[in-house]
Amino acid sequence: SQQGEEDPQALSIQEGENATMNCSYKTSINNLQWYRQNSGRGLVHLILIRSNEREKHSGRLRVTLDTSKKSSSLLITASRAADTASYFCATDFTGTASKLTFGTGTRLQVTL
Amino acid sequence: KAGVTQTPRYLIKTRGQQVTLSCSPISGHRSVSWYQQTPGQGLQFLFEYFSETQRNKGNFPGRFSGRQFSNSRSEMNVSTLELGDSALYLCASSTTQANTEAFFGQGTRLTVV
């Protein structure tokens, strides 16, 4: 079963706007990761935030983690059409990436 | 560095048959994990192999099995296929280092008819 929920399930924005996705999880974690999936293909790793970190940036991505609320958010700034994809959060209990538990995913559509 | 390679990319099988999927991890990665993705259940962990041993297992019936070879390549097998086994099967490889990401293959799309 999945660790938690992501919301919204779907998000449609225009190019240049910011996109925010939220993820909730249920138990303690070592880290939380975000992945992107294009049209039912493989997942691509975007960013990893450790349990003792609160915020992390990578290019146009900003991730926050609130372990007291068991939640995380992913912000994509200045969205592009190429950002159209499904985004998943994944929690890692093992300390390695050998057994990830994924959220339900957010489908992002960026229109011109 | 070559990525994770999964073969075949697409498969169509009949109910009751069995199927074997293959995954070649990134060179140097000893951990190989398998996931099933369906519209209804999302991404679910099947099992993980490390140094030819199954180290973690998800909540799937015994019809789902796997193995890992000495070169870290892995196979998963599904016997007595059911319609509900239709899914995208993803393989991921990773190192033993803490707080690192998993690298995914493009997946095998299995359709059971």
Side-chain angles (χ1 to χ4, degrees), chain A residues 17-79:
Chain A
E17 294 181 334
N18 295 341
T20 300
M21 297 159 236
N22 302 295
C23 165
S24 63
Y25 58 93
K26 296 175 182 173
T27 60
S28 61
I29 59 173
N30 282 294
N31 64 63
L32 186 143
Q33 307 180 28
W34 286 88
Y35 289 82
R36 184 185 73 208
Q37 184 179 40
N38 289 85
S39 299
R41 296 173 68 86
L43 281 80
V44 174
H45 180 262
L46 295 175
I47 194 165
L48 179 153
I49 186 165
R50 302 184 185 193
S51 59
N52 61 354
E53 297 176 315
R54 292 298 166 256
E55 187 171 312
K56 199 163 183 181
H57 297 255
S58 176
R60 293 183 298 112
L61 305 179
R62 173 180 170 257
V63 169
T64 62
L65 179 65
D66 187 335
T67 54
S68 66
K69 295 181 180 178
K70 292 187 171 55
S71 67
S72 174
S73 67
L74 171 68
L75 168 67
I76 304 174
T77 60
S79 295

Side-chain angles (χ1 to χ4, degrees), chain B residues 4-108:
Chain B
V4 178
T5 304
Q6 289 189 247
T7 56
R9 289 293 311 280
Y10 302 93
L11 266 179
I12 300 176
K13 289 287 188 178
T14 305
R15 270 182 303 175
Q17 287 186 314
Q18 74 167 16
V19 67
T20 299
L21 312 182
S22 179
C23 173
S24 293
I26 290 173
S27 178
H29 287 191
R30 293 163 63 191
S31 172
V32 175
S33 304
W34 289 89
Y35 297 84
Q36 181 196 64
Q37 186 177 28
T38 60
Q41 298 298 315
L43 276 155
Q44 294 193 289
F45 173 80
L46 279 157
F47 33 64
E48 181 237 355
Y49 284 86
F50 180 82
S51 292
E52 302 178 64
T53 301
Q54 187 181 85
R55 189 165 64 170
N56 287 292
K57 188 176 188 305
N59 188 26
F60 278 81
R63 299 186 298 107
F64 291 83
S65 63
R67 59 177 176 168
Q68 187 180 34
F69 302 94
S70 58
N71 62 357
S72 293
R73 189 178 71 85
S74 177
E75 290 181 346
M76 69 163 280
N77 183 278
V78 188
S79 62
T80 321
L81 284 165
E82 301 176 359
L83 294 179
D85 297 333
S86 294
L88 180 67
Y89 290 88
L90 292 163
C91 163
S93 75
S94 57
T95 69
T96 56
Q97 290 182 324
N99 293 307
T100 57
E101 70 264 38
F103 294 83
F104 284 80
Q106 292 298 296
T108 294

